[in-house]
Amino acid sequence: MAEVRAERNELAVAERVLERVSEQLASERASVTPAPGQVGGRAVMLIPHRTSGVEESTLPPDYQRILAAVRQAAGPVMARQVGDALGIDVSVRAKLEPLHGRLVRLVDRGWLRKLPDGRFTTCL
């Protein structure tokens, strides 16, 4: 009987720890500021989804410059045009691909729209 009580007490403690950790994780997820993460041993910045309470200033500076370049364009733009506006050597595909990936990431998070022809534009 003493063993059962000891196990019950251990389970009660484990439940309290689980509740605290769950609350902490929920509060971290609710945070609107991007949180640095680790991917392959390198620090990366997570890009938040665009919602009513999230401002563009929460994005890393590189992404803010990308959004500004798309906004300043006369209409929908290709990744190459954004690269030109940002001063990237667009003749080298290896330098253009990371920019395209960032544009797609901004589309996935709701900051930009990608048209069927592959051009990018701002969201309304």
Side-chain angles (χ1 to χ4, degrees):
M1 194 62 137
E3 287 180 32
V4 171
R5 284 188 195 123
E7 282 187 43
R8 187 184 68 194
N9 291 339
E10 287 178 23
L11 286 174
V13 169
E15 278 185 45
R16 282 182 270 172
V17 170
L18 180 62
E19 286 175 18
R20 287 183 196 150
V21 170
S22 296
E23 290 170 2
Q24 182 180 5
L25 286 174
S27 68
E28 287 176 6
R29 287 182 186 144
S31 163
V32 276
T33 58
Q38 289 280 329
V39 175
R42 293 181 12 200
V44 295
M45 187 62 78
L46 302 177
I47 308 305
H49 286 276
R50 182 178 179 200
T51 59
S52 61
V54 178
E55 296 182 18
E56 187 177 312
S57 62
T58 61
L59 294 172
D62 289 348
Y63 287 87
Q64 290 178 27
R65 286 192 295 277
I66 291 169
L67 282 176
V70 173
R71 270 199 204 98
Q72 291 172 356
V77 292
M78 297 295 288
R80 182 175 301 278
Q81 294 167 294
V82 176
D84 279 335
L86 296 174
I88 296 172
D89 183 8
V90 296
S91 64
V92 179
R93 185 178 179 130
K95 293 187 179 184
L96 193 58
E97 285 300 317
L99 173 63
H100 187 266
R102 288 181 177 140
L103 287 162
V104 170
R105 190 170 297 116
L106 287 169
V107 169
D108 292 343
R109 303 300 198 289
W111 294 96
L112 293 176
R113 282 187 320 138
K114 186 174 182 181
L115 303 176
D117 63 358
R119 296 181 300 162
F120 297 90
T121 186
T122 57
C123 292
L124 300 175

